[in-house]
Amino acid sequence: MLIGTSRYDHLEPLPAVSNNLTALAAALAEPSSWGLPPEHCVTLSNPTTAEMTMAAVRAAAEQARDTVLIYFSGHGLVDPEGDLYLAMPQSKQQRVETGLSYRWLRQALLTGRAERCVVVLDCCYSGLALGSMGGPADLADQASVEGTFLLAAAAETRTALAPPGEPFTAFTGELLDTLQMGIPHGPELLEFGALYRHMRISLAAKGRPAPQARDRNTGAQLALGRNPAYLPATGSAPPAGKNHASERSWPSPSGIRTVKGFFKAMSDVRVTSGLTHRMVSQRSGGRISAGTVSRLLNRESLPKTWQTTAAYLSACGLPDTQVAEWQAVWMRLLAETTIEAADRPTVPRPSQEHNPTLLERLAGRVSRRNGRS
């Protein structure tokens, strides 16, 4: 959901915001990006009231099942308590009640049904929102949200920038450039963590406000699209028609030496896939449940059979050849742990005659004292 306010009755107009919404909606609809159909990309330009905006946000948070992304571009206001408000067309300085509290937006995400949430704020003082993702009221802690990511155009005490003569605001313009041109020498996917680091360096080099970010769980691994500047390690383009899943840089099992390392790498596979536990279960065709995925990744000993692990790796998207490599490592570790258990010396249990009772020990002490007197 893309929200923007470009026209204001009492604040400086921001004509670039309208361009932001149009260009970003088009970028998210590109097949190389999210490929969103029109009904899944809602644009709300110059909403007349905070109530109208919140109704649309709640609808988006309720309808989304996988990921909900909320983007806002416009003026940002700060109340005396230091809370962030998003300016509406009739907002006034020092009158935050005329705007939309970021806390309201955050609460709508808390009560939504999406497994992952992304908030992108292109407004002044947007860094104030970062505090709303931490502490006891953390978005990911209060709701069962697998990953959250918040990207803000400016620090909590800094204004954002709409350069005169440029079609977009500084932050969104950089975001659009990155989606179109990619990150040189960057990852295959434009994950939010890599996107944030690239934009921070690029904007700082231009003397523009540095964005801020905060994530929870796997939020930084959420991808906004494929990296157009990505090149495979060989430096050559991938063959036409090659499956994207097979091109991913999956964690290699070759360096695993311990059972703990095995499960750590297994968890990294899911992070690389970008799938939640529930989605892995769905892609397994019912062979494993979301609870089974969680229990598998939190085991301390190797499973004695291979079927569940194989179903998990295949559901994450690993090619069959790599699943076979994982099976070889599992067999090796299982054999090693079995041998170690067999070689471990058995400590004999003490017999009754070597474990006298308290009464017997006291009786012995009395006897020895009588013998010395």
Side-chain angles (χ1 to χ4, degrees), residues 266-323:
M266 288 266 287
S267 180
D268 291 342
V269 167
R270 186 190 64 80
V271 171
T272 301
S273 73
L275 301 174
T276 64
H277 291 186
R278 186 184 305 171
M279 294 166 65
V280 172
S281 173
Q282 292 172 348
R283 296 195 179 197
S284 74
R287 288 180 291 171
I288 50 176
S289 66
T292 300
V293 173
S294 179
R295 289 190 293 273
L296 176 65
L297 298 181
N298 288 282
R299 289 178 63 105
E300 295 182 358
S301 61
L302 289 172
K304 302 302 182 185
T305 60
W306 174 246
Q307 286 81 359
T308 299
T309 306
Y312 164 83
L313 294 171
S314 297
C316 286
L318 256 70
D320 292 342
T321 54
Q322 294 189 34
V323 173

Side-chain angles (χ1 to χ4, degrees), residues 185-188 226-239 242 247 249:
H185 310 294
E188 179 185 3
R226 302 188 67 80
N227 182 7
Y230 172 75
L231 290 176
T234 59
S236 59
K242 188 174 181 181
E247 296 173 12
S249 300

Side-chain angles (χ1 to χ4, degrees), residues 35-339:
L36 289 176
E39 63 272 18
H40 289 172
C41 186
V42 179
T43 299
L44 191 59
S45 180
N46 295 302
T48 56
T49 65
E51 182 179 6
M52 171 193 294
T53 307
M54 285 307 305
V57 169
R58 288 194 180 93
E62 180 66 23
Q63 293 170 11
R65 294 294 183 273
D66 183 331
T67 302
V68 58
L69 183 150
I70 304 296
Y71 165 92
F72 173 80
S73 183
H75 284 299
L77 306 174
V78 184
D79 73 359
E81 284 72 39
D83 287 337
L84 176 67
Y85 279 72
L86 311 180
M88 299 287 101
Q90 297 180 349
S91 293
K92 299 179 181 180
Q93 288 286 3
Q94 311 303 323
R95 295 291 184 270
V96 292
E97 68 274 9
T98 60
L100 188 157
S101 171
Y102 174 73
R103 291 179 178 271
W104 301 346
L105 187 150
R106 174 180 161 278
Q107 185 61 37
L109 297 180
L110 282 175
T111 57
R113 303 175 67 179
E115 294 190 23
R116 300 178 289 191
C117 300
V118 178
V119 178
V120 181
L121 300 176
D122 186 0
C123 63
C124 298
Y125 320 116
S126 50
L128 288 170
L130 299 178
S132 297
M133 291 186 71
D138 189 281
L139 175 64
D141 290 342
Q142 287 198 10
S144 299
V145 178
E146 171 62 26
T148 60
F149 197 89
L150 197 155
L151 184 60
E156 62 270 21
T157 59
R158 292 290 305 275
T159 58
L161 182 65
E166 295 190 14
F168 308 111
T169 59
F171 171 84
T172 298
E174 193 68 37
L175 174 61
L176 291 167
D177 285 346
T178 306
L179 290 176
Q180 181 180 6
M181 305 301 296
I183 302 175
H185 310 294
E188 179 185 3
L189 301 177
L190 290 178
E191 299 171 345
F192 275 100
L195 189 69
Y196 159 66
R197 291 189 293 271
H198 174 75
M199 291 181 61
R200 187 174 176 85
I201 294 172
S202 299
L203 287 167
K206 298 174 183 178
R208 296 181 170 182
Q212 311 290 306
R214 187 161 186 177
D215 68 280
R216 289 288 297 175
N217 299 328
T218 58
Q221 280 78 50
L222 295 175
L224 198 56
R226 302 188 67 80
N227 182 7
Y230 172 75
L231 290 176
T234 59
S236 59
K242 188 174 181 181
N243 189 303
H244 291 321
S246 64
E247 296 173 12
R248 289 183 179 175
S249 300
W250 296 106
S252 172
S254 60
I256 297 175
R257 297 291 179 267
T258 64
V259 173
K260 183 177 180 180
F262 182 87
F263 288 114
K264 172 62 170 62
M266 288 266 287
S267 180
D268 291 342
V269 167
R270 186 190 64 80
V271 171
T272 301
S273 73
L275 301 174
T276 64
H277 291 186
R278 186 184 305 171
M279 294 166 65
V280 172
S281 173
Q282 292 172 348
R283 296 195 179 197
S284 74
R287 288 180 291 171
I288 50 176
S289 66
T292 300
V293 173
S294 179
R295 289 190 293 273
L296 176 65
L297 298 181
N298 288 282
R299 289 178 63 105
E300 295 182 358
S301 61
L302 289 172
K304 302 302 182 185
T305 60
W306 174 246
Q307 286 81 359
T308 299
T309 306
Y312 164 83
L313 294 171
S314 297
C316 286
L318 256 70
D320 292 342
T321 54
Q322 294 189 34
V323 173
E325 294 174 10
W326 279 86
Q327 184 176 15
V329 172
W330 167 77
M331 294 175 65
R332 172 174 58 78
L333 290 174
L334 189 62
E336 291 173 356
T337 53
T338 302
I339 293 173

